Amino acid sequence: QVQLVESGGGLVQAGGSLGLSCAASGTILSVNAMGWYRQAPGKQRELVADIRSDGSTNYADSVKGRFSISRDNAENTMFLQMNGLKPEDTAVYYCNAKIIRLGILRETTYWGTGTQVTVSS
């Protein structure tokens, strides 16, 4: 089975920077679209940014200009560089990927278990 593992979360001061990584492993044929989502306590899970296999990207308005998403297709890895962090960025950040497994035709959506990002004022 496929597994997504996030890393890089932690505690930072407002205005600081943090980088998140997500690595996909398992019997993978291809990793298609990937994205970062976040969920704060009592709030809905929301899209932060996503990136297609061709490199095209999309950002939530709240993070545009501060966050940058990228991927390394050779390593099945995705990154999120977060600059100018604000307290409202505090949330659990989840990795999402649409993946085709070896020997299976259909695309399946997978989620990581999340990494905590806390921004202090």
Side-chain angles (χ1 to χ4, degrees):
Q1 182 70 323
V2 168
Q3 185 176 61
L4 301 181
V5 179
E6 302 100 333
S7 62
L11 174 64
V12 297
Q13 291 276 354
S17 297
L18 200 62
L20 304 182
S21 298
C22 171
S25 62
T27 54
I28 296 171
L29 176 63
S30 65
V31 178
N32 297 328
M34 303 184 76
W36 288 99
Y37 291 73
R38 67 186 182 187
Q39 187 167 27
K43 304 291 181 62
Q44 296 182 31
R45 184 173 297 190
E46 64 177 354
L47 174 69
V48 177
D50 59 27
I51 183 167
R52 308 291 190 249
S53 59
D54 65 1
S56 61
T57 59
N58 179 62
Y59 295 91
D61 289 340
S62 60
V63 307
K64 192 171 296 183
R66 299 188 296 122
F67 292 8
S68 180
I69 190 171
S70 60
R71 62 190 288 170
D72 184 340
N73 291 334
E75 299 292 333
N76 291 330
T77 304
M78 176 179 62
F79 309 95
L80 184 68
Q81 180 63 44
M82 304 183 292
N83 300 320
L85 284 163
K86 305 174 180 180
E88 51 262 45
D89 294 319
T90 296
V92 177
Y93 284 68
Y94 296 93
C95 176
N96 172 274
K98 301 184 186 301
I99 294 172
I100 299 177
R101 294 178 61 193
L102 289 170
I104 302 176
L105 181 61
R106 73 180 182 90
E107 181 183 81
T108 302
T109 299
Y110 294 89
W111 292 91
T113 56
T115 184
Q116 177 71 48
V117 172
T118 302
V119 184
S120 62
S121 60

